[in-house]
Amino acid sequence: MSSKVIHAIYTDDDLLMQAVKQTREANYHIEEVYTPFPVHGLDKAMGLAPTRLAITSFLYGLVGLSVAISMMNFIMIQDWPQDIGGKPSFSFLENLPAFVPIMFELTVFFAAHLMVITFYMRSKLWPFKQAENPDVRTTDDHFLMEVSVGKHNVKDMSKFLSDTGALEVNLINK
């Protein structure tokens, strides 16, 4: 079953923001907005939920900290304790100041790398994936708002989107 969407193309980000607000006020469902650069406040104007990526980053940092502590405790205290510079490594707490930089680095390493992997998986950005950009001009200087037709009248929606300042309004079968 194919669904119909309307692509409204804009040439200015301020005009796009105003159009998004008007479209939401008119109770039309915005599927996606394609922009050539990040538009500040667009996520709030579209009514998108805040991201939980920061929470996962914190959890990944805790995993990195845990790995660092357990790794250093095993390597430097249990498995092969050494007398380095006259400082014997017989207790983790006695040597904690020397371990702080390693704990910090592994915390940041795990948080950064696992957060990037999570972002790519969540965004469905796989290696060698074909681009899903509906109009090539949105990578240069145009903005595209994709609005679901649903049970609405196509002519009324097209007129409404034209009145919001859209340069082009096209009906697309998905």
Side-chain angles (χ1 to χ4, degrees), residues 5-9 31-36 130-139 142-147 168 170-174:
V5 294
I6 291 181
H7 286 176
I9 298 177
E31 292 285 331
E32 187 65 71
V33 175
Y34 299 90
T35 64
Q130 294 294 324
E132 295 179 4
N133 194 355
D135 193 327
V136 125
R137 294 175 291 176
T138 60
T139 61
H142 285 68
F143 303 85
L144 186 141
M145 180 169 52
E146 187 177 87
V147 183
E168 292 178 28
N170 303 317
L171 180 65
I172 307 292
N173 288 321
K174 275 189 151 181

Side-chain angles (χ1 to χ4, degrees), residues 106-160:
L106 280 178
T107 300
V108 171
F109 179 85
F110 271 72
H113 286 81
L114 292 176
M115 186 172 59
V116 167
I117 291 169
T118 301
F119 172 75
Y120 283 148
M121 289 174 60
R122 181 73 177 105
S123 301
K124 299 178 184 165
L125 294 173
W126 316 113
F128 310 111
K129 182 180 182 204
Q130 294 294 324
E132 295 179 4
N133 194 355
D135 193 327
V136 125
R137 294 175 291 176
T138 60
T139 61
D140 188 23
D141 61 349
H142 285 68
F143 303 85
L144 186 141
M145 180 169 52
E146 187 177 87
V147 183
S148 176
V149 173
K151 297 178 182 177
H152 300 286
N153 185 350
V154 175
K155 288 183 182 180
D156 292 342
M157 284 183 72
S158 297
K159 171 128 177 49
F160 171 79

Side-chain angles (χ1 to χ4, degrees), residues 72-124:
M72 288 182 304
N73 185 48
F74 177 74
I75 293 171
M76 298 299 291
I77 306 301
Q78 295 174 359
D79 187 40
W80 196 0
Q82 296 179 18
D83 186 355
I84 301 171
K87 299 177 184 176
S89 299
F90 301 129
S91 166
F92 184 82
L93 291 177
E94 287 176 1
N95 293 297
L96 187 61
F99 295 156
V100 169
I102 299 166
M103 291 188 298
F104 173 76
E105 291 297 329
L106 280 178
T107 300
V108 171
F109 179 85
F110 271 72
H113 286 81
L114 292 176
M115 186 172 59
V116 167
I117 291 169
T118 301
F119 172 75
Y120 283 148
M121 289 174 60
R122 181 73 177 105
S123 301
K124 299 178 184 165

